[in-house]
Amino acid sequence: MEPSETTRYASLRARAVLVTGGGSGIGAALVRAFCEQGARVGFLDIAAAPSESLVRAIAGDGLPPPVFMPCDLRDIDALRQAVAAMKTAIGPISVLVNNAAHDERHDWADVTPAYWDERFAVNLRHQFFAAQAVIDDMKADGGGSIINFTSTSWMVGVGGMAAYTAAKSGVIGLTRSLARDLGPFGIRCNAVAPGWVMTERQVSLWLTPESEKRLLEDQCLKFKLVPEDMAPLTLFLAADDSRAITSQTFVADAGLL
């Protein structure tokens, strides 16, 4: 989607936005979209090379580049330190997009307690602690927006990834609880549930002619979702235009469910 085709939100200009997992895939599309809005954007990612490439690409397009800080979100102390450093770099955080995740496939019979805990650390635990780290900023500002990314995989009952789908279903409970707890401070918390989005990783690992055919047969809308399709909804939920919306889950799956 070209920037000119995206709604412009005056309330996002100069707003400090933090995106986790922003170096590639959906996260990279979100980082670019917020930069196009004129926000002060920072992102955390474990992979330095694609993250640094994204920063260069955005700067090369004449946009104010985002601030990248490497971070393994499984390490909560490192996460807290990175968020503190990001506040110094871009200012108090007004918008948090908890995007980072990893949908590793696994056989239920092979799952160990350590593997289960690691999958929850990658896909759920950091969302709470990232929110915890920015809430004081939002309270001081009189409000803010937290957007947690979940997945439709648990909604449709996908197999072969029980730890992932369990963690992603937990995102909904986390979102609703935070919305209730933080609403009195003007802080909104919503979830976005993408369908099967054709990131480079998805295409290289799992997309086949057969799976693509089944997907397009099952979706109401007959096109493949791309990372940029998740940006307009996320921008809306971050902007003041959605000030009356909280504790909701928005499915963006081209009508698969």
Side-chain angles (χ1 to χ4, degrees):
M1 178 176 293
E2 293 298 324
S4 61
E5 298 175 349
T6 303
T7 301
R8 297 290 179 171
Y9 295 101
S11 62
L12 292 180
R13 179 164 296 279
R15 185 162 287 181
V17 178
L18 175 60
V19 180
T20 67
S24 62
I26 293 172
L30 300 179
V31 167
R32 177 177 285 276
F34 278 109
C35 288
E36 290 169 351
Q37 294 286 329
R40 301 194 307 272
V41 185
F43 70 98
L44 308 178
D45 203 291
I46 196 171
S51 298
E52 291 166 354
S53 177
L54 175 65
V55 173
R56 290 192 298 270
I58 291 175
D61 289 338
L63 296 168
V67 176
F68 160 61
M69 293 187 182
C71 183
D72 183 343
L73 297 173
R74 294 171 296 185
D75 183 339
I76 300 304
D77 286 340
L79 168 60
R80 287 169 169 160
Q81 292 170 16
V83 173
M86 193 63 76
K87 293 178 184 182
T88 299
I90 66 174
I93 307 301
S94 296
V95 176
L96 169 66
V97 183
N98 275 319
N99 163 76
H102 192 271
D103 61 343
E104 187 173 89
R105 272 54 170 171
H106 46 268
D107 189 313
W108 63 267
D110 298 329
V111 173
T112 64
Y115 181 82
W116 181 272
D117 291 345
E118 191 272 341
R119 289 293 88 193
F120 267 65
V122 169
N123 292 301
L124 174 60
R125 187 179 65 174
H126 63 82
Q127 292 201 4
F128 172 81
F129 287 101
Q132 187 185 63
V134 303
I135 285 169
D136 283 346
D137 286 357
M138 295 182 180
K139 288 170 64 176
D141 195 40
S145 178
I146 299 171
I147 303 161
N148 297 326
F149 269 68
T150 178
S151 168
T152 58
S153 57
W154 67 272
M155 300 177 186
V156 299
V158 172
M161 49 168 62
Y164 174 78
T165 53
K168 281 303 189 180
S169 65
V171 171
I172 304 303
L174 173 64
T175 298
R176 292 181 65 83
S177 290
L178 288 178
R180 181 63 62 182
D181 291 340
L182 303 178
F185 307 109
I187 301 170
R188 300 179 293 109
C189 190
N190 293 289
V192 173
W196 193 5
V197 177
M198 298 299 141
T199 64
E200 182 178 339
R201 182 169 182 270
Q202 296 294 318
V203 172
S204 63
L205 292 178
W206 296 299
L207 185 67
T208 64
E210 295 75 21
S211 63
E212 180 178 341
K213 181 175 182 293
R214 288 195 304 272
L215 176 69
L216 294 179
E217 287 173 348
D218 292 342
Q219 287 182 178
C220 295
L221 301 174
K222 307 305 181 182
F223 61 85
K224 291 182 290 184
L225 293 167
V226 295
E228 290 75 14
D229 288 319
M230 300 302 111
L233 173 58
T234 306
L235 294 175
F236 171 69
L237 292 174
D240 291 349
D241 300 63
S242 58
R243 64 184 295 271
I245 299 173
T246 194
S247 194
Q248 304 302 310
T249 300
F250 294 88
V251 175
D253 70 345
L256 181 62
L257 284 177

